[in-house]
Amino acid sequence: MKLISLIVPVLNEEEAIPLFYDAVQDVLHDEPYDVEILFIDDGSTDRTLEIIEGLHARDPRVRGISFSRNFGKEAANLAGLAAAKGDCCVVIDGDLQHPPEKIVEMYRLWEQGYEIVEGQKASRGAESHAARAFYSLISRATGIDMANASDFKLLARKAVNVLINMRERNAFFRALSSWIGFKTVSIPFDVQKRAGGSSKWSTPALAKYAVDNIASFSAAPMQLVTVLGGIMLLVSLVLGTIALVQKFS
Ligand code: UDP
Ligand code: MG
């Protein structure tokens, strides 16, 4: 029987994880395949790890990876993909903002031969202004339309192997998965309300994330440095000339 791995990065999601687990059971229990649920605890300081351990004791299909500190969602996704055993992997948020019933739709497309199924945000109602600004900035900088892209996606084993062998640990997962190619299809989903807790992104964290991702996907920052250097050179030549002229006249 085929195995499908769910990769779930979680940071301080003690409230959401049990709800997520129940929702996944409801959706997948009639499906003709095995499931493993892999939670990656990205350095939580609440009872997240304890809750994962409790689920694992009850249901051995649940496994956990525990990070020594917070490394960020990108690292958690990749660690999950590296540990997953599935014939395909579905990367999904643990706060139920990515609707689990879409997993079945993704799986059907995979059965039809697609190697990557991208979840695309149909509506972005629940997003902050900072998040919105972030996506428009990053789309312009990377040249990949990221406005409706999300981390909710299915990857066939072949694509998973390519990603984990890239040894890229700070990559912008969302863009990387489209950059590697493969037979891809998108399906729309509506971003849901969070199941408890709050968003793990502060505005400074989002700003750092934007800069990291722009730097790793585009040469624009380097060109900016060159252009600024040129401007500084011109300005100092002009100022130097003025100073010399004043001194000698
Ligand atoms: N997350 C994580 N590490 C982080 C930040 C977030 O593992 O440093 C997880 C979080 O627990 C959730 C998912 O990534 O399962 C999406 O995060 P969040 O809901 O905070 O982001 P948003 O939906 O607001 O973009
Ligand atoms: Mg969320």
Side-chain angles (χ1 to χ4, degrees), residues 160-219:
V160 171
N161 287 346
V162 167
L163 275 180
I164 61 185
N165 287 323
M166 285 173 78
R167 295 280 159 219
E168 187 63 84
R169 284 295 167 270
N170 197 24
F172 192 29
F173 177 67
R174 205 171 290 194
L176 204 58
S177 67
S178 82
W179 182 80
I180 59 171
F182 292 107
K183 197 173 172 210
T184 303
V185 65
S186 296
I187 59 164
F189 74 93
D190 289 310
V191 179
Q192 307 294 309
K193 276 229 177 64
R194 243 186 175 277
S198 58
S199 176
K200 306 304 178 249
W201 293 102
S202 59
T203 304
L206 208 54
K208 181 185 177 295
Y209 190 63
V211 172
D212 282 355
N213 294 322
I214 289 166
S216 66
F217 255 91
S218 126

Side-chain angles (χ1 to χ4, degrees), residues 76-112:
N77 284 342
L78 284 165
L81 289 173
K85 302 187 179 122
D87 297 294
C88 71
C89 296
V90 175
V91 179
I92 180 168
D93 282 359
D95 59 5
L96 289 179
Q97 287 198 277
H98 296 161
E101 58 275 13
K102 287 280 167 181
I103 297 170
V104 177
E105 218 174 291
M106 289 178 159
Y107 177 81
R108 299 271 177 266
L109 288 162
W110 174 62
E111 285 175 327
Q112 287 168 28

Side-chain angles (χ1 to χ4, degrees), residues 21-90:
Y21 176 79
D22 290 345
V24 166
Q25 298 316 308
D26 288 349
V27 169
L28 296 181
H29 78 275
D30 281 340
E31 296 295 323
Y33 41 83
D34 287 328
V35 178
E36 69 169 354
I37 308 177
L38 204 54
F39 289 104
I40 301 89
D41 175 14
D42 186 13
S44 297
T45 51
D46 67 355
R47 295 177 55 243
T48 291
L49 187 59
E50 219 176 290
I51 287 166
I52 297 169
E53 283 166 349
L55 285 175
H56 171 74
R58 259 172 49 205
D59 180 352
R61 298 174 308 161
V62 174
R63 293 198 289 140
I65 294 175
S66 170
F67 279 2
S68 57
R69 64 166 169 87
N70 178 240
F71 282 91
K73 186 182 178 183
E74 312 294 305
N77 284 342
L78 284 165
L81 289 173
K85 302 187 179 122
D87 297 294
C88 71
C89 296
V90 175

